[in-house]
Amino acid sequence: MRIFDLHVHSKYSKDSINDPRWIIKVAKKKGLSGVAITDHDTIKGSLIAKKINNDPDFEIIPGVEIKTDIGDIIGLWITEEIKSRSWEEVIDEIHAQGGVTVFPHPYRGHRAVEEIANRVDVIEVVNARTSKELNKKAHELAMKLHKGISAGSDAHVPFEIGRGVAVINSDLRKDLIRGEVKPIGKESLYLLVHGLSFAIEKLRKLRGE
């Protein structure tokens, strides 16, 4: 059995303070087998984490969360920056790199939900920054469309890491696409964590970062 948090942000997202080294340290302390670092619109954080990780038993999945014209789309196992911001082209770019497309928090800020869901490989059914009701709707959508499922904390600060995880028994990539993962999550306090992200972004902007 292995446990992965598949939606974590580093300081290379403008609303996060997580240093890649912190992410690795905290995740290992919490007993995780690996994390996917999925910064907003850049793979920089995940590539840095992959480079500094010296533990062969801990896996860094390089990823990105792209803000498209109709909502966010995550790409996992990618190695180059995604250039497009058109949702269909983003999916095509991720697949062209051999990556896996994930639809994060489908009912939080997206348009054309079923249209996106039909095109992606995997639907995130546990997001610790999303309510239980909306996560349940996401799970029902994945089951309806026979899609793979994923889970993540959507962490922007260290204490959030590991609050949403996917438990697997064999190969992570294959299990995700087949829907053969056990999603587990503990909802973070919405106003607290989103308030922290808002404050972090404002402070970094004032500092010119």
Side-chain angles (χ1 to χ4, degrees):
M1 180 184 76
R2 296 191 295 158
I3 305 170
F4 292 86
D5 185 338
L6 297 172
H7 189 164
V8 177
H9 292 272
S10 81
K11 65 181 182 180
Y12 296 98
S13 290
K14 59 186 178 181
D15 54 355
S16 171
I17 60 170
N18 289 327
D19 186 278
R21 294 182 187 277
W22 302 353
I23 293 172
I24 294 169
K25 184 177 180 179
V26 173
K28 290 175 69 174
K29 188 174 181 179
K30 291 188 176 184
L32 303 189
S33 308
V35 295
I37 297 182
T38 54
D39 283 317
H40 297 300
D41 301 324
T42 182
I43 62 171
K44 187 175 180 179
S46 62
L47 296 185
I48 289 173
K50 194 170 180 66
K51 184 177 180 179
I52 64 177
N53 177 40
N54 57 10
D55 184 348
D57 295 321
F58 187 83
E59 186 174 354
I60 301 290
I61 299 103
V64 67
E65 183 174 20
I66 298 293
K67 185 176 182 179
T68 77
D69 51 343
I70 59 174
D72 297 332
I73 292 174
I74 285 176
L76 299 179
W77 289 285
I78 62 171
T79 56
E80 298 178 6
E81 298 286 8
I82 302 298
K83 297 176 181 178
S84 179
R85 293 298 179 264
S86 161
W87 75 274
E88 291 178 299
E89 292 177 4
V90 166
I91 288 173
D92 290 341
E93 278 194 56
I94 293 167
H95 285 155
Q97 292 189 37
V100 171
T101 52
V102 181
F103 189 4
H105 46 76
Y107 295 100
R108 206 184 81 208
H110 289 88
R111 294 183 288 113
V113 170
E114 289 218 11
E115 192 174 356
I116 301 171
N118 273 303
R119 283 287 314 275
V120 297
D121 304 307
V122 174
I123 295 174
E124 184 181 64
V125 301
V126 166
N127 178 294
R129 282 189 163 212
T130 302
S131 70
K132 291 179 182 178
E133 292 76 17
L134 295 184
N135 280 332
K136 182 181 178 183
K137 281 186 70 175
H139 196 275
E140 290 169 349
L141 178 65
M143 297 301 99
K144 173 185 172 183
L145 299 177
H146 306 287
K147 292 289 181 175
I149 59 175
S150 179
S153 64
D154 202 353
H156 288 65
V157 292
F159 76 81
E160 294 182 88
I161 296 168
R163 291 180 70 88
V165 296
V167 181
I168 69 156
N169 290 312
S170 111
D171 180 89
L172 174 60
R173 185 181 180 121
K174 290 179 180 177
D175 284 357
L176 275 179
I177 293 173
R178 293 171 181 165
E180 296 175 357
V181 308
K182 182 179 180 180
I184 300 174
K186 185 175 183 180
E187 185 182 350
S188 298
L189 293 174
Y190 185 89
L191 291 178
L192 172 63
V193 294
H194 287 276
L196 283 171
S197 288
F198 178 80
I200 290 165
E201 184 174 354
K202 289 293 183 183
L203 181 59
R204 293 182 67 174
K205 189 174 290 185
L206 286 172
R207 289 177 174 177
E209 295 180 18

